Amino acid sequence: MRAEPRNHAHMDQTPEPDIQRSSHRFFWWRIFILQTFLMTSVIMPVYGFNALIRPVNAVFHADSTLDGWPGALAGGVMFLGLACGYVLTSLLTKVGLGFRGRWITACGMISLCLVVAAIACWTESLPLLLLGGVFPVGVGVGCCFMHSANLLLSWGRYAGHLGLQSGMFGLMFGLWGAAFSLLATLTVARWGLEWTLVGTAVLIMVLSLVSLINMQPPPAATPQQEANIPRLTFRRVLGSKTLWLVFVFLLIFLTPGFGFKVIVQSLSQRIYHVSDLTASLVAVAFLVSYGVSRLVCGLVADHLSLKGLILFFTAGQCLLLAATAIGLPLVEGIAFLTVMMCLVGALFAAGKSLWGMLLITLFGPSNLNVGIGTTLPAFGLAGLIGPLSLNWALRSDDVLTMTSWWLYIMAAAMAIAVIIVWLLRKFDFEATHQALHFRPSTRDQLDRF
């Protein structure tokens, strides 16, 4: 018997869901929890590299295990490799590999190059470590990051929980980094740096293979879910003021956080002379606060003004960096530094978790991939500048004073980032040359998001 059509009044009261029940269940149980856990495991050697700084220095610069250049340079070069993730993705696409093929190729590259890094440490070859090990690891992680962000955020947007999915994405990054920071410190002490790198390679390969099970994009969006936004070319995005404002903002916003993330253990030991375990616990606290902050931010991001949130996190990080610079020479004990780093890390993480949402909002969902590809180099540059500049401060005869000056400089740069966020506008698809609005009275709907 044919069902009677619903009248309009009834439809208004009980609207059809945007997503099928089976897909909704698949999102919550497979994508939101399990797939996010599996696809973020590749971040371990990058976000947890703070645990490897001292062991790398012990191999290549034994006289300066806390503030030697090899460890900081290796961490920075690995982050710099992230900037080339889009290049690897494009090359793999051109040779005809599908999503699964690109994913497993990039993960295989990460695992192989971690083994190369272990060989470089065995043979004490710093060029091999940098060029054959950590840099291509960063490239592979950048490629995987693009794939996981595209898949997971697309599912989150399809299910109507983009902010929440973005927050879970960031939470797993923080938890993987925290777990690696602690466990790598213990495994290096027991089995050595080289076997720790080999074990990490095996673990990443196993988890990446498991993640292939039921790896699938969300169903095609309906007209109600997907606005009719044209696809932008790489060249047009690069020629827009919006892109370069986002790029400079990300470069400034990420630099101090990445500096802490890579150098946090060395910073704790250089200033307060704590043990390896205590330093690793400081790193764990920083990364856990990072991950939890990203989740909390994701919970509220679906309901609040995106621009207002980014302004708040940027201005808050500016004030906290200045407060840390003032208090560091005055307050004794590692507790102050740990608390302030966790607070800075929380705001850094919260703003970073909005990256994908910001790109979708500014350029449209159909242009997420090109947005990620054009702004990913900002992550790589910030990951290089932050650790190297902070490590330079650690090498000073007066570490407290130089670290304070580093914090003052970062705070001043963050104040510039606040102004950049204020100027940000959504991409104007109809304008030939998009103008910037400085005065509040000249602002229009493209300025509000």
Side-chain angles (χ1 to χ4, degrees):
M1 182 175 179
R2 181 179 298 175
E4 294 183 5
R6 297 178 179 177
N7 57 41
H8 292 294
H10 186 66
M11 288 180 69
D12 290 339
Q13 295 172 3
T14 57
E16 287 291 331
D18 294 330
I19 182 171
Q20 296 292 329
R21 184 174 299 175
S22 59
S23 297
H24 191 274
R25 198 163 47 241
F26 183 82
F27 167 75
W28 285 114
W29 292 105
R30 178 68 201 187
I31 301 296
F32 183 71
I33 298 176
L34 185 58
Q35 195 71 309
T36 306
F37 172 80
L38 293 171
M39 294 186 75
T40 52
S41 62
V42 297
I43 207 68
M44 281 188 289
V46 179
Y47 275 36
F49 197 81
N50 59 81
L52 306 181
I53 294 287
R54 187 169 183 174
V56 169
N57 284 333
V59 173
F60 296 101
H61 196 175
D63 294 335
S64 302
T65 57
L66 290 179
D67 56 6
W69 285 115
L73 187 60
V77 167
M78 182 180 287
F79 269 100
L80 185 62
L82 291 173
C84 300
Y86 185 80
V87 176
L88 178 60
T89 299
S90 300
L91 291 175
L92 296 179
T93 303
K94 287 181 180 179
V95 300
L97 289 179
F99 186 89
R100 287 166 169 258
R102 296 194 299 271
W103 171 259
I104 202 63
T105 300
C107 291
M109 176 178 171
I110 295 169
S111 296
L112 176 63
C113 292
L114 283 172
V115 175
V116 172
I119 295 173
C121 293
W122 269 314
T123 59
E124 298 185 12
S125 174
L126 185 59
L128 180 61
L129 175 69
L130 298 178
L131 301 179
V134 293
F135 181 77
V137 165
V139 175
V141 171
C143 180
C144 289
F145 180 77
M146 287 189 62
H147 281 63
S148 57
N150 200 14
L151 179 75
L152 298 173
L153 296 183
S154 294
W155 264 106
R157 181 176 175 275
Y158 181 79
H161 298 285
L162 176 59
L164 180 58
Q165 176 59 69
S166 179
M168 177 60 77
F169 189 50
L171 172 65
M172 291 300 176
F173 274 13
L175 294 183
W176 276 118
F180 188 85
S181 295
L182 179 59
L183 295 178
T185 300
L186 300 176
T187 57
V188 167
R190 182 164 184 176
W191 290 298
L193 171 62
E194 296 83 0
W195 286 113
T196 298
L197 292 171
V198 173
T200 304
V202 173
L203 179 59
I204 287 177
M205 201 65 229
V206 170
L207 293 174
S208 65
L209 289 171
V210 175
S211 70
L212 287 174
I213 302 172
N214 284 332
M215 180 185 285
Q216 55 183 285
T222 64
Q224 290 79 15
Q225 293 171 313
E226 184 77 66
N228 187 22
I229 296 176
R231 290 187 177 272
L232 296 171
T233 63
F234 195 82
R235 177 177 295 181
R236 189 176 180 192
V237 172
L238 286 176
S240 71
K241 294 178 181 178
T242 300
L243 181 277
W244 291 108
L245 285 176
V246 174
F247 188 95
V248 176
F249 161 72
L250 286 173
L251 178 59
I252 295 173
F253 187 87
L254 298 172
T255 295
F258 280 150
F260 283 144
K261 191 180 294 183
V262 175
I263 307 295
V264 55
Q265 291 204 34
S266 297
L267 181 66
S268 302
Q269 292 179 291
R270 184 75 172 85
I271 296 178
Y272 298 106
H273 310 290
V274 297
S275 66
D276 288 346
L277 180 59
T278 301
S280 68
L281 292 176
V282 173
V284 168
F286 174 82
L287 289 165
V288 169
S289 66
Y290 170 95
V292 172
S293 174
R294 290 193 67 167
L295 177 61
V296 173
C297 178
L299 288 169
V300 302
D302 286 321
H303 310 287
L304 299 177
S305 165
L306 181 60
K307 192 170 189 176
L309 283 174
I310 297 175
L311 276 171
F312 174 77
F313 297 140
T314 308
Q317 197 176 168
C318 175
L319 295 175
L320 286 173
L321 286 168
T324 308
I326 296 170
L328 191 61
L330 303 176
V331 182
E332 296 182 359
I334 196 172
F336 172 76
L337 180 63
T338 302
V339 170
M340 296 307 292
M341 279 200 301
C342 287
L343 291 175
V344 170
L347 294 184
F348 156 71
K352 188 167 174 280
S353 71
L354 301 175
W355 173 53
M357 294 183 68
L358 180 65
L359 296 178
I360 289 175
T361 301
L362 296 182
F363 298 105
S366 59
N367 299 302
L368 175 60
N369 218 32
V370 70
I372 291 175
T374 50
T375 56
L376 201 57
F379 281 69
L381 290 174
L384 179 66
I385 296 170
L388 291 183
S389 60
L390 184 53
N391 195 72
W392 169 79
L394 294 186
R395 292 178 63 85
S396 170
D397 294 333
D398 189 349
V399 179
L400 281 177
T401 300
M402 292 307 299
T403 303
S404 293
W405 276 110
W406 182 86
L407 290 164
Y408 280 124
I409 293 171
M410 292 297 110
M414 202 65 63
I416 297 174
V418 173
I419 299 173
I420 293 175
V421 176
W422 173 256
L423 295 177
L424 271 179
R425 305 183 69 211
K426 288 190 285 187
F427 186 86
D428 192 341
F429 290 89
E430 298 178 358
T432 305
H433 300 288
Q434 189 164 3
L436 298 179
H437 290 168
F438 290 91
R439 296 173 57 187
S441 60
T442 61
R443 305 181 75 77
D444 56 28
Q445 290 303 314
L446 292 179
D447 295 289
R448 300 178 176 89
F449 53 86

